Amino acid sequence: MHTVIRSYSGAGAKELFDLLEKRTSEIESLMRSVQGFVSYTLVRTADGGFSVTTCNDKAGVDESVKQAKDWIAANAAGTGASAPTISEGTVMLHAK
């Protein structure tokens, strides 16, 4: 499995997460449509938030990053949020 963390902070990040919170069912459907989807978590922080996506392989994670970028461009460009900081890697342990 492979996981990606997309962290948003700074100008517009809080507004982005306000919008994401209003549209969680849409976001969930979008992430579940990614080939090899395993799990998705969206977390609000004091200055924005982050998402964690786990897929069966790197191709799925790459697709989730593209889907997130495209959704934000189409639906949340007005928030002014900067591109996220992205961290990704191979999963060593996945407990649920």
Side-chain angles (χ1 to χ4, degrees):
M1 288 189 294
H2 209 78
T3 293
V4 62
I5 301 169
R6 292 181 296 274
S7 300
Y8 300 84
S9 61
K14 186 174 181 330
E15 292 78 8
L16 171 61
F17 273 75
D18 289 344
L19 177 63
L20 292 171
E21 185 172 27
K22 291 176 185 171
R23 297 177 69 178
T24 54
S25 61
E26 182 180 345
I27 303 304
E28 180 179 352
S29 293
L30 179 69
M31 288 298 121
R32 285 186 180 278
S33 74
V34 171
Q35 183 72 28
F37 171 84
V38 173
S39 64
Y40 179 76
T41 304
L42 190 59
V43 179
R44 181 185 295 276
T45 62
D47 64 343
F50 63 92
S51 66
V52 181
T53 307
T54 299
C55 295
N56 288 327
D57 56 24
K58 184 171 177 4
V61 162
D62 290 346
E63 178 63 18
S64 77
V65 170
K66 180 186 179 314
Q67 292 281 4
K69 180 180 178 183
D70 291 350
W71 189 93
I72 289 170
N75 298 282
T79 64
S82 298
T85 300
I86 296 177
S87 301
E88 66 174 271
T90 302
V91 174
M92 294 172 41
L93 173 66
H94 182 78
K96 54 181 181 170

